[in-house]
Amino acid sequence: MDRSAIFRKFVAFTTAVHQITNDMTKDVKSEAITTVQYKILEYIAVSQPCILSDISECMHMSMPNTSRELKKLTDKQLCEKIADTEDRRKQYIRLSAKGQTMMNEIFVQIEARFNERIQDFSEKELKEIEQALDVLQGKVFYT
């Protein structure tokens, strides 16, 4: 097995994922938030509750910049910090009810765009895609 060829396919795949993600999320966010803030909210939506360092690492942002953006999102009542019951110094971040509503509305739009892309696929093809995603999630994109 040519591992170098697999790696090149992986790089091409992840690049395509970023491009498609950009295309599918274009123009879906609220005008009240920046693109960076949207990406943070998207991460929180699928990873909540999470901690500041996780967001910072995933977004490739410094901790102070991430903290500043989270403060803005908290001020807009889109996310909230929850203190750990066992260690009060540790804070978890999750979407507020307003943030959850906003992200649900955005995900409905993205899902509609996704459904447009797969509308002509057969049940067999959809099953193959689902299985491929499960394999990638379990073997490559695990956390």
Side-chain angles (χ1 to χ4, degrees), residues 34 36-37 39-41 43-44 50-56 59 61-81 91-95:
T34 67
V36 169
Q37 289 169 352
K39 290 293 186 189
I40 291 171
L41 290 173
Y43 177 82
I44 295 169
C50 52
I51 57 175
L52 178 68
S53 60
D54 291 342
I55 297 168
S56 176
M59 297 293 117
M61 294 173 60
S62 69
M63 292 279 276
N65 284 345
T66 305
S67 183
R68 188 171 19 263
E69 293 301 326
L70 280 171
K71 170 93 170 82
K72 292 175 188 175
L73 291 169
T74 302
D75 290 346
K76 293 176 185 181
Q77 300 176 336
L78 296 172
C79 67
E80 55 194 15
K81 294 179 181 179
Q91 290 189 324
Y92 292 100
I93 301 152
R94 67 178 184 198
L95 296 178

Side-chain angles (χ1 to χ4, degrees), residues 18-35:
H18 287 291
Q19 183 61 52
I20 294 300
T21 301
N22 183 57
D23 292 347
M24 291 178 79
T25 59
K26 193 180 302 180
D27 304 324
V28 295
K29 73 173 183 65
S30 165
E31 295 296 320
I33 60 172
T34 67
T35 301

